[in-house]
Structures are given as C-alpha cells and as structure tokens.
Amino acid sequence: MNPNRIALVVAVFSGTAVLGPMVGVSPAWITVAVISALVMVSVDAAAWNGRGGHLLAEALPGGQERLRRIAVHEAGHRLLASHEGMELGDSLVGSLACLRAGYDACGRTTLPLPASSKLPLEELRRWSRVLLAGMAAEQVVHGGSDGGMDDRQLLGRIWGLSGQSAQIAQLEQRRARREVEQWLEQNRSALDQECESLLSQAPSLLRPGHGR
C-alpha cells in the first residue's frame, strides 16, 4: 500500500474528525468512513496496482495538469521518434486510455521493435534518444521528470544485449539525454503543440468519450 495515499486519507479524515462535530457529523460515521477509505486503498493497491487511485486523481480538480504532464512525456517520444525516422503507433495519455487498451500504465507510445537483439552503436544511440525523450521533455517543460521507469528499463535491456560495456552505455545515455533536451528546447513550440494535441484526446472519468 502506498504510504503517501495512507497519509493523505488519514490527513483528510483527521481534519474531518476535528471539524465534523462542529457541523453535526457523528464521530462514529467519521470512523466508519476512515476504515472504509483505508480498505478501498488497500484493495486498489492489491487488485489494481493502484490504478483506481490514478483514475480518480485524473478526474478530480487538478487532474488535467496530471494528464498534461503525461502528454508532455508522450509528446517527447513522438517528436524524437518522428525526427529519427521511426514508424509510430498510437500514443495513450492517462490511466483510463491505457486501461481501455489493456495496459497497466499511465501513458504509452507504441514504437517499432528493434531490428535486432544486438544493435550497432549508431542504432543504440538512436534508441537512447527516443527512449529518453519522454523524460527529457518533462525536464524541459517542468524542470524535472516523474515518469520514465519503463523507458529506462527497456533502454537498459537494449544496451545490456548489445555487448557494450556498462561504462560506454552510461556515457552514451548521458550524452543522448543532453542532446535530446537541447533539441526539445530548440523545438519547444512543436513540443507544446504535440502535447496539446494528445491532451485534447485524453479521456478521464469525467470525459469518458475522449481518447483514441
């Protein structure tokens, strides 16, 4: 269970416990509500891997900014993949869009599979730029990146199969990240435009009809 979610639930209901009696809410009902909320958080974590909390967060006030950050990440992938001449599939923004498509994720951009399990150095550099572009886009727009764990894991596997040393892999990935950030800064208007396009199609529980 996510400790942050527990802390949030406890904080909200602690405040309610203080203010509730002042507006006629019974302490017994507050206790029942706290226990129910903690049970729901536990079930969500166990059965849905926390996805229910993500769906709710994207639907509540402030959820649009959460979706915007995901859209920025996916827009970075799309721009770099297009720049590198890769064929692109769909991009999904938000937990609801991913859930509909059968993915346990908050965002996803479909890329072609690598041509070989052991890529030449130039292809490794190319994949490094594309896979690091989501995090780089977040860095350019927000000053830091929250997502990208799956991207880092996939990139690690690609470099691991390449036969290159860990030192070269780290050096090349750092260089690729710098190059991509610089390129995205120079093409910021295109990044913003792509982000807005993806965001306009992102569904949430309050806008279930949107999305691809």
Side-chain angles (χ1 to χ4, degrees):
M1 189 189 305
N2 190 321
N4 293 330
R5 288 199 188 122
I6 297 174
L8 178 60
V9 170
V10 172
V12 169
F13 285 102
S14 295
T16 306
V18 173
L19 299 175
M22 298 172 61
V23 294
V25 179
S26 168
W29 282 110
I30 294 173
T31 301
V32 170
V34 171
I35 293 173
S36 299
L38 290 173
V39 169
M40 290 173 63
V41 170
S42 299
V43 171
D44 178 39
W48 279 39
N49 196 27
R51 196 60 53 208
H54 292 307
L55 290 170
L56 184 60
E58 290 165 9
L60 291 173
Q64 190 74 356
E65 286 308 306
R66 174 187 171 87
L67 289 173
R68 184 180 299 277
R69 185 157 193 145
I70 298 170
V72 166
H73 185 103
E74 302 309 325
H77 285 310
R78 293 191 67 83
L79 287 182
L80 259 295
S82 178
H83 180 67
E84 296 288 344
M86 286 188 180
E87 283 190 26
L88 277 166
D90 285 343
S91 288
L92 304 173
V93 173
S95 301
L96 182 56
C98 290
L99 184 64
R100 286 174 173 176
Y103 299 117
D104 182 16
C106 293
R108 178 185 174 92
T109 293
T110 302
L111 296 169
L113 293 174
S116 169
S117 60
K118 190 170 183 178
L119 299 173
L121 186 57
E122 191 50 48
E123 277 295 294
L124 290 167
R125 289 169 174 164
R126 183 170 176 244
W127 273 95
S128 296
R129 290 189 290 270
V130 172
L131 289 175
L132 292 171
M135 290 178 284
E138 287 189 66
Q139 180 68 41
V140 168
V141 176
H142 297 289
S145 60
D146 290 339
M149 181 181 296
D150 290 345
D151 299 330
R152 287 191 293 265
Q153 290 176 347
L154 176 56
L155 189 56
R157 288 196 293 271
I158 289 175
W159 275 97
L161 292 170
S162 70
Q164 301 286 345
S165 69
Q167 183 178 8
I168 290 177
Q170 292 171 4
L171 181 65
E172 290 289 346
Q173 289 177 51
R174 285 196 296 268
R175 186 177 75 169
R177 177 69 179 261
R178 289 194 301 270
E179 290 176 350
V180 171
E181 285 185 14
Q182 291 171 1
W183 189 86
L184 288 172
E185 286 172 351
Q186 294 167 2
N187 293 271
R188 177 64 188 270
S189 61
L191 177 61
D192 291 341
Q193 184 176 356
E194 186 70 24
C195 170
E196 291 301 324
S197 175
L198 293 175
L199 186 62
S200 69
Q201 302 175 67
S204 73
L205 293 177
L206 298 181
R207 302 187 309 157
H210 290 242
R212 298 181 182 184

